[in-house]
Amino acid sequence: MSLSEIRQRFDVETLDIHAGGIDLIFPHHEDEIAQSEAATGQPFARHWLHGEFLNVRGTKMSKRFGNFLTARDLREQGVDAAAVRLLFWQTHYRQSLDFNDAALEGAREGVKRLGEFRERLAHVPEHQSSDGAAPGAGDDPLDTRALRFETDFRAALSDDLNAPRAVAALFDFVRAVNRELDQASTTPNARRALRALEGAMAVLDVLPSARAPAADLTSWVEEQLAAREKARKAKDFREADRIRATLRDRGVELDDTPAGTRWRIV
């Protein structure tokens, strides 16, 4: 759909945001401004987001250089879209980004960590005050952590879409909340922290993509977990560790919690 068609359909003369690469500023975008504003007498766009180049292993991504990647290519390689999004968020749009194996692996680890954090928050029992009543605002350390994170996150994105600073605030929040959970003597207000995390995810969308296990894999995993639990009760920790390693080789990761062992596909 051309720009003129968009305007006709939505009755828009001024765009809120116009994006594009820095190589399009001149002459392409300057020509667009001249043509549009001459025709309408109105500003062409309120905000411009000109992105720097995406490099692949040090070279600008281009069909001419034979290093062109598509979303379909990455999906066929088994790359989680969340990892790609996190990799992009970690670099400001005004700075060039180098897409390489090491950077992508780092983003994968970051996504995995965020998924584990969300799982941990979701399995903390519902918070109650000492008298059994629902907690009030600000009476729990995680309330303060969540509010500070939400404030820092908004401030970062309001500052020229500073996504790297927003991501840094996110991982600071993860570290701080994990530390609070490790040291908590009473049940903390994990639901408040979870809401703050989900609010950020509505913007960044960097939690691991859901992967439904096949029925035969689920059955096999349950059998392995039963055997592992039997070995642990018999204090046969070598066998328990062997079973964990076998599960890991099949892409299954375990998390032993007071409420039992949870597993997930990684």
Side-chain angles (χ1 to χ4, degrees):
M1 185 182 296
S2 69
L3 182 59
S4 62
E5 290 171 330
I6 292 173
R7 283 185 164 148
Q8 289 173 3
R9 176 171 295 186
F10 298 105
D11 191 24
V12 171
E13 291 188 337
T14 299
L15 303 177
D16 285 329
I17 300 174
H18 192 307
I22 58 169
D23 54 334
L24 299 179
I25 296 175
F26 176 84
H28 185 67
H29 288 163
E30 292 192 0
D31 285 348
E32 280 191 286
I33 294 170
Q35 294 166 1
S36 175
E37 296 190 0
T40 68
Q42 300 297 322
F44 177 55
R46 295 185 179 89
H47 302 282
W48 291 83
L49 294 177
H50 285 108
E52 260 286 359
F53 293 135
L54 172 63
N55 300 322
V56 177
R57 299 179 182 89
T59 303
K60 176 188 173 184
M61 187 172 80
S62 169
K63 290 181 179 178
R64 181 178 59 174
F65 299 137
N67 63 348
F68 198 84
L69 287 170
T70 67
R72 184 179 295 106
D73 294 332
L74 296 172
R75 183 177 60 192
E76 290 174 352
Q77 295 170 20
V79 177
D80 191 336
V84 178
R85 286 191 287 269
L86 181 59
L87 176 60
F88 288 168
W89 287 124
Q90 288 173 321
T91 300
H92 195 277
Y93 75 90
R94 292 183 186 272
Q95 298 177 327
S96 60
L97 185 153
D98 191 46
F99 193 101
N100 58 65
D101 294 338
L104 184 58
E105 183 58 32
R108 279 172 165 159
E109 288 299 316
V111 165
K112 177 183 174 184
R113 184 179 173 197
L114 292 171
E116 292 171 349
F117 178 62
R118 191 199 180 285
E119 285 294 308
R120 185 179 191 187
L121 292 178
H123 286 86
V124 173
E126 191 72 30
H127 177 60
Q128 294 287 325
S129 63
S130 59
D131 59 3
D139 68 352
D140 185 284
L142 294 194
D143 291 331
T144 302
R145 299 285 186 187
L147 180 59
R148 182 180 305 165
F149 164 61
E150 289 166 339
T151 300
D152 292 346
F153 187 80
R154 291 193 191 98
L157 293 181
S158 297
D159 181 15
D160 194 21
L161 199 63
N162 196 328
R165 204 173 93 200
V167 170
L170 171 61
F171 281 100
D172 285 345
F173 176 62
V174 171
R175 282 189 292 271
V177 172
N178 274 329
R179 186 165 54 247
E180 293 286 357
L181 293 175
D182 290 341
Q183 299 173 353
S185 57
T186 59
T187 304
N189 190 7
R191 293 296 179 272
R192 177 66 181 90
L194 183 59
R195 288 198 303 273
L197 175 67
E198 291 178 341
M201 292 305 101
V203 177
L204 302 180
D205 194 11
V206 289
L207 287 174
S209 301
R211 298 174 60 187
D216 56 345
L217 176 62
T218 299
S219 177
W220 176 78
V221 169
E222 296 298 339
E223 291 174 0
Q224 296 298 310
L225 291 180
R228 180 172 177 265
E229 184 61 22
K230 182 178 179 180
R232 293 174 72 191
K233 288 181 177 179
K235 299 190 183 302
D236 187 352
F237 299 116
R238 178 175 295 181
E239 174 64 8
D241 289 344
R242 184 197 67 77
I243 294 173
R244 177 189 279 272
T246 299
L247 289 163
R248 188 184 303 117
D249 290 342
R250 290 283 299 273
V252 177
E253 189 165 287
L254 305 184
D255 186 14
D256 293 318
T257 74
T261 300
R262 299 195 301 268
W263 63 278
R264 60 181 174 274
I265 304 296
V266 296

